[in-house]
Amino acid sequence: MKISNKILFRTSLLQLDSLLQGKKVFVIIDSKVEALYGSYFPYPKVFIEAGAKSKSLAVIEEIIQQLLKMGADKDCLLLGIGGGTVIDITGFVASIYRRGVRFALIPTTLISQTDAAIGGKFGVNTLDFKNLIGIFNTPEFVYDCSLFLGSLDQRTFLRGASEMLKIFLLSDKSRYEKAVKYFKEKPSPEANETLESLVVHAVKHKCDIVEKDFKEQGARRVLNLGHTFGHAIEKLGGDKYSHGEAVSIGMAYAAKIACSLNYCNEKVRDKIISDLNSIGLPTECDLDRNLCYDVIVKEKIRDGGFIYFVVPVKIGSAKIIKIPADNLKEIISNL
């Protein structure tokens, strides 16, 4: 499935009107984004709060009720505007509302522009599981506009750096080094040519991976680098760690595990950890390792008692391995 031709890279919202002209548009928007940019979108709106608490079936039902009251019919187009939470919810609601309606996405954070809005995976949390219920679907377009990045605070900006580095760590040594150098200088989130180029190449690499395995039956699993631990850390840490921060810690742990299993050498392990630290991302957490293991097993274990785990081999290359659950417990205890 070709998804790269649906990604539009823009520096302003000037071309958006022509894309929406003649469509019955209903907006799902982050409340904070509405306060900053709401005047650009003169359409009926549903407001939601960013964060994992909004990714629930109860919130989904509330959104559907509001869409019904506003008269959103089968021919409408849902436009999701915000970070990862809004992106996930919009894609999910569009896929189930009236058995499916058209949708488009305007990601407003670095992490959503390079990751959440790219790839067609949309899910919600339920029964204490992250993204247990979800779908694969393709938006009409993703409007990746650098205009929004200037309003991000530094912590939110760096969350996106984590996912961007992950993509380059998987596939592009040169861009990985450029990204580390760029973020190490603690740049302002304001858009510039360097940042825009990094976003474009990160999206390109993710699209290349997704297009080979849209429904994550094999090769696409490599995108889970840092996420096996990351999801457990997010869940156990509450509000202490954002998604990007948890993924950063997860990548550091993946590098340690890769080294302990001889998939990479100490130099690669130490470089990954050092690079993440140098740009201000965490590589350690104070959570109980046994509790992390319990969450990982609950969410990730497969038939046969193993867990798919992504380990870095070198900068620009990673490998999907299968670790027996019992072995993983011992590995985690030695981190």
Side-chain angles (χ1 to χ4, degrees):
M1 177 177 290
K2 196 71 173 173
I3 62 172
S4 55
N5 57 8
K6 295 181 179 291
I7 317 298
L8 308 175
F9 298 101
R10 301 291 185 266
T11 58
S12 76
L13 295 171
L14 292 177
Q15 292 172 289
L16 186 61
D17 286 346
S18 62
L19 294 169
L20 300 177
Q21 191 171 9
K23 295 181 172 64
K24 300 177 184 177
V25 178
F26 293 82
V27 169
I28 300 176
I29 189 168
D30 182 311
S31 298
K32 291 182 179 179
V33 176
E34 165 67 15
L36 293 169
Y37 301 103
S39 60
Y40 289 98
F41 309 106
Y43 307 103
K45 294 170 184 170
V46 177
F47 305 104
I48 63 173
E49 301 300 321
K53 291 181 181 178
S54 291
K55 289 181 57 174
S56 69
L57 290 175
V59 171
I60 297 299
E61 187 171 1
E62 289 176 11
I63 291 170
I64 289 173
Q65 288 176 349
Q66 291 186 58
L67 290 173
L68 285 171
K69 288 180 181 178
M70 292 189 295
D73 60 20
K74 181 70 176 175
D75 295 324
C76 76
L77 179 136
L78 298 188
L79 181 63
I81 308 170
T85 300
V86 172
I87 298 303
D88 258 351
I89 287 175
T90 302
F92 187 83
V93 169
S95 300
I96 62 172
Y97 183 65
R98 298 187 180 276
R99 294 193 175 91
V101 297
R102 296 173 299 164
F103 71 105
L105 305 171
I106 304 181
T108 60
T109 62
L110 185 59
I111 198 167
S112 60
Q113 290 189 2
T114 57
D115 185 64
I118 312 300
K121 282 175 65 174
F122 307 100
V124 295
N125 308 329
T126 189
L127 299 177
D128 208 29
F129 285 88
K130 184 178 176 69
N131 296 327
L132 179 65
I133 301 175
I135 50 83
F136 293 91
N137 201 351
T138 305
E140 290 209 346
F141 63 85
V142 176
Y143 199 92
D144 242 1
C145 181
S146 57
L147 166 73
F148 298 105
L149 300 181
S151 59
L152 301 179
D153 61 75
Q154 195 66 24
R155 184 184 178 192
T156 303
F157 186 52
L158 282 181
R159 295 171 188 171
S162 175
E163 286 283 9
M164 179 184 284
L165 288 175
K166 177 205 74 176
I167 295 170
F168 292 144
L169 188 55
L170 296 173
S171 56
D172 192 331
K173 179 180 178 180
S174 175
R175 285 292 178 327
Y176 173 86
E177 300 292 358
K178 289 180 180 179
V180 170
K181 180 180 179 181
Y182 176 77
F183 288 108
K184 191 183 292 186
E185 295 172 355
K186 305 296 186 292
S188 163
E190 293 287 345
N192 56 69
E193 288 185 11
T194 301
L195 178 58
E196 289 168 2
S197 174
L198 288 170
V199 169
V200 169
H201 283 91
V203 170
K204 177 183 180 299
H205 284 298
K206 181 165 185 182
C207 287
D208 287 345
I209 294 170
V210 170
E211 287 169 358
K212 295 172 184 174
D213 179 26
F214 184 66
K215 293 197 173 180
E216 201 172 14
Q217 301 300 306
R220 181 173 177 163
R221 290 190 180 114
V222 75
L223 290 169
N224 288 324
L225 176 64
H227 286 64
T228 304
F229 267 104
H231 285 174
I233 292 167
E234 265 188 284
K235 182 175 182 178
L236 295 171
D239 295 330
K240 186 172 184 179
Y241 302 103
S242 69
H243 175 73
E245 291 163 342
V247 167
S248 176
I249 298 168
M251 287 193 288
Y253 286 177
K256 292 179 180 180
I257 290 174
C259 187
S260 70
L261 297 177
N262 297 316
Y263 285 101
C264 77
N265 58 38
E266 293 180 0
K267 185 177 179 180
V268 171
R269 177 199 65 193
D270 294 346
K271 176 173 173 54
I272 292 171
I273 294 172
S274 174
D275 287 341
L276 293 170
N277 282 326
S278 73
I279 67 174
L281 285 166
T283 56
E284 278 290 350
C285 70
D286 55 4
L287 299 174
D288 187 302
R289 301 288 169 77
N290 288 326
L291 291 179
C292 287
Y293 169 79
D294 291 341
V295 172
I296 290 170
V297 169
K298 182 179 180 182
E299 293 195 350
K300 303 295 184 180
I301 197 165
R302 297 292 188 270
D303 291 340
F306 67 87
I307 291 166
Y308 285 113
F309 202 86
V310 185
V311 292
V313 176
K314 57 184 180 180
I315 306 301
S317 177
K319 184 179 181 67
I320 304 167
I321 63 174
K322 292 163 66 172
I323 302 179
D326 292 341
N327 291 14
L328 182 62
K329 187 170 187 178
E330 181 180 353
I331 292 168
I332 290 175
S333 67
N334 292 324
L335 282 176

